[in-house]
Amino acid sequence: MAEKIAKLNMNGKEYDLPILESTLGPDVVKVSELAKDATFTFDPGYNSTASCESKITFIDGSNGILLHRGYPIEQLAEKCEFLEVAHLLLHGELPNKNQKNSFYNDITHHTLVHEQIPRFFSGFRRDAHPMAIMVGVVGALSAFYHTDLDFSSQKNLMLAALRLIAKMPTLAAMTYKYSLGQPFIYPINNLDYAENFLHMMFSLPTEETNVNPVLAKALDKIMILHADHEQNASTSTVRMAGSTGANPFACIAAGIGALWGPAHGGANEACLNMLETIGDEGQIDKYIKKAKDKDDPFRLMGFGHRVYKNYDPRAKIMQKTCHDVLETVGAKDDPLFKLAMKLEKIALEDEYFVDRKLYPNVDFYSGITLRALGVPRNMFTVFFAVARTAGWISQWLEMHNEPTLKLARPRQRYLGATERDVPPIDKR
Ligand code: ACO
């Protein structure tokens, strides 16, 4: 088959740019050759840029489709556990029974953190934002595994991935316990991943552990929905940091920093704050008006997505999970949930939101669900980070397993001063 090309005429030169086929979704125009002539493409926010080749996650934003390694998110959320999905992301396939046992065993036996790590926590203020602490302690893990940081070894790559997935809930729960002044709780090996996370968050050494299996199952589902999402801002950050050869703990710490922003993982916290600010149904119109007003910075948090210009498929599952959790904890009549449903209905019918294809995203319901699980608001994004670690580290691993590790180094459109001489200080 003849190679497909796109033609570009620029500065009197004609370029034949190869069009590369994808297995799903749009083909891409390879523009790398342009750099040889110091010619660059300009794409702020990377709206039109495919930054890498990947086999992990596919999103069709116009049709609301999300696939991990080809499997629809709806099926994964219904039929799999979070760690099976983590295995799928990491290894490319869902585990069979033996692989599942072995993977779960590996994760379970890496959940403890070094006994020096608790000392890091005492350096932080008790009222520090948990994401600030997470950036610090996850990055600090590299100081504990420096002998295993030779990533020419496949064994070391996988060991780093296992350690990160296994230790994230432990560190996340320690962050919460630290804020309360309560003792850190050790993981228990006969609890599963989600149960252990809830146990480390909410148990006390003075009492027997009592994790509600329905709530653990709901958390497991929430984590599946957040496990990976293609080349989003935090994943791209992890890849960019990783492209320098930086160690995975430092790269994930960078990803955590990127996830923290309210336009990304911080949206569920921001969404719940917004629902509380709106307060009651009678105020919805006022806030819809504010969201539509170009001179008002207010945005409806939990609405809109850079890629989904249709209903976020994760939001549908999250809405159902939210219902189940509220039912289990006896909060079916939760006024914020009712307010959220009303707001969703009104926004979905409003011309402004319809025209711009602004649908609820996964964060619209995840905040209410986590709140019902007893998770404090400032921990929402930490929970997101725990789940997304599976995706981040899979993407990092995929990049490391490419034949050559290509340093990510974008260029710019320069709009600053032209060359000039430095004046003496009395002339400035
Ligand atoms: N409320 C009101 N108006 C909105 C919203 C919103 N939540 N989102 C987008 N718009 C409007 C913009 O003002 C713009 O209008 P215009 O065309 O008249 O200028 C139009 O919709 C397009 O918006 P952009 O910001 O250009 O779209 P982009 O794809 O860059 O933004 C984003 C995506 C950042 C997620 C945005 O929709 C937003 O800020 N949403 C609220 C925050 C949020 O929920 N983030 C979570 C994302 S999901 C996740 O990270 C897991």
Side-chain angles (χ1 to χ4, degrees):
M1 202 169 54
E3 188 188 39
K4 287 200 267 177
I5 52 159
K7 287 200 177 288
L8 174 72
N9 243 310
M10 201 167 162
N11 301 333
K13 190 168 170 186
E14 186 161 285
Y15 296 89
D16 284 348
L17 303 173
I19 300 177
L20 309 180
E21 282 187 13
S22 309
T23 53
L24 280 177
D27 296 339
V28 296
V29 184
K30 187 165 187 254
V31 295
S32 325
E33 292 302 301
L34 297 177
K36 285 186 188 152
D37 293 337
T39 301
F40 307 124
T41 54
F42 180 56
D43 184 22
Y46 309 122
N47 272 355
S48 312
T49 297
S51 62
C52 63
E53 290 178 338
S54 181
K55 295 179 178 166
I56 300 177
T57 292
F58 171 76
I59 303 174
D60 175 348
S62 318
N63 293 306
I65 293 171
L66 168 61
L67 311 176
H68 293 318
R69 305 279 190 187
Y71 296 115
I73 189 67
E74 292 83 354
Q75 289 186 33
L76 292 170
E78 193 195 326
K79 298 179 179 175
C80 297
E81 291 161 7
F82 172 70
L83 283 187
E84 289 178 281
V85 175
H87 183 286
L88 173 72
L89 297 171
L90 267 182
H91 294 286
E93 292 299 339
L94 286 166
N96 62 27
K97 262 193 191 149
N98 285 342
Q99 290 164 335
K100 182 173 168 178
N101 285 342
S102 156
F103 187 65
Y104 279 42
N105 191 59
D106 285 345
I107 296 287
T108 305
H109 288 91
H110 278 103
T111 49
L112 285 172
V113 293
H114 194 288
E115 278 299 317
Q116 290 293 111
I117 293 216
R119 294 182 178 214
F120 272 88
F121 282 83
S122 48
F124 290 103
R125 287 171 56 126
R126 295 265 177 197
D127 62 354
H129 195 288
M131 284 297 272
I133 300 183
M134 288 299 282
V135 171
V137 291
V138 173
L141 287 179
S142 33
F144 290 83
Y145 303 112
H146 50 91
T147 53
D148 299 329
L149 294 181
D150 166 17
F151 297 119
S152 54
S153 144
Q154 196 60 32
K155 186 172 151 262
N156 282 354
L157 287 174
M158 197 48 77
L159 188 57
L162 289 174
R163 280 181 170 145
L164 272 157
I165 296 172
K167 292 180 200 310
M168 280 295 278
T170 314
L171 293 173
M174 286 170 83
T175 304
Y176 177 52
K177 288 296 190 189
Y178 182 71
S179 74
L180 298 178
Q182 288 183 1
F184 297 137
I185 300 293
Y186 285 106
I188 298 180
N189 284 358
N190 63 9
L191 295 181
D192 72 22
Y193 193 79
E195 287 171 341
N196 236 333
F197 193 4
L198 290 177
H199 155 70
M200 290 186 285
M201 281 284 297
F202 299 117
S203 296
L204 284 170
T206 44
E207 285 167 14
E208 218 169 285
T209 264
N210 185 16
V211 179
N212 182 327
V214 181
L215 299 185
K217 185 97 199 94
L219 176 59
D220 194 81
K221 195 166 285 190
I222 294 172
M223 290 197 291
I224 292 175
L225 298 182
H226 288 86
D228 192 50
H229 211 230
E230 207 227 46
Q231 307 311 321
N232 56 80
S234 56
T235 303
S236 297
T237 303
V238 170
R239 277 189 180 257
M240 180 163 286
S243 79
T244 67
N247 76 71
F249 306 104
C251 298
I252 301 298
I256 294 172
L259 185 74
W260 191 0
H264 191 13
N268 50 15
E269 186 179 341
C271 181
L272 205 64
N273 291 339
M274 175 197 75
L275 289 172
E276 278 185 0
T277 308
I278 295 177
D280 67 75
E281 292 178 16
Q283 295 273 78
I284 290 181
D285 283 350
K286 177 180 147 196
Y287 282 93
I288 294 261
K289 268 202 199 100
K290 275 167 77 64
K292 296 189 320 194
D293 181 356
K294 288 279 150 246
D295 299 325
D296 191 323
F298 177 80
R299 281 192 164 196
L300 268 198
M301 300 313 287
F303 274 79
H305 197 277
R306 173 57 63 81
V307 181
Y308 292 116
K309 303 303 173 194
N310 198 324
Y311 214 103
D312 179 343
R314 302 168 302 167
K316 280 188 196 152
I317 307 167
M318 187 57 80
Q319 190 195 42
K320 160 97 180 48
T321 307
C322 187
H323 255 291
D324 296 347
V325 168
L326 291 175
E327 179 115 39
T328 308
V329 301
K332 233 174 50 195
D333 294 325
D334 181 284
L336 281 195
F337 182 63
K338 284 190 162 165
L339 181 66
M341 293 218 294
K342 184 90 186 181
L343 182 64
E344 177 185 13
K345 189 170 179 301
I346 291 175
L348 285 176
E349 286 164 2
D350 190 290
E351 203 181 318
Y352 174 94
F353 290 88
V354 174
D355 284 355
R356 288 166 182 75
K357 299 189 180 355
L358 298 170
Y359 294 88
N361 58 49
V362 67
D363 291 317
F364 189 63
Y365 284 108
S366 66
I368 302 171
T369 317
L370 288 171
R371 176 169 158 271
L373 287 173
V375 178
R377 195 166 312 184
N378 62 2
M379 285 293 292
F380 289 176
T381 320
V382 175
F383 271 61
F384 190 163
V386 170
R388 184 54 59 86
T389 297
W392 285 334
I393 200 63
S394 302
Q395 302 266 356
W396 180 88
L397 211 64
E398 182 179 63
M399 187 182 68
H400 262 270
N401 283 333
E402 280 168 8
T404 47
L405 188 60
K406 184 107 182 112
L407 174 71
R409 173 56 169 93
R411 299 305 300 263
Q412 63 175 4
R413 177 183 175 216
Y414 178 68
L415 291 176
T418 53
E419 188 170 335
R420 51 189 177 152
D421 292 323
V422 176
I425 194 155
D426 55 341
K427 299 256 164 64
R428 287 177 209 165

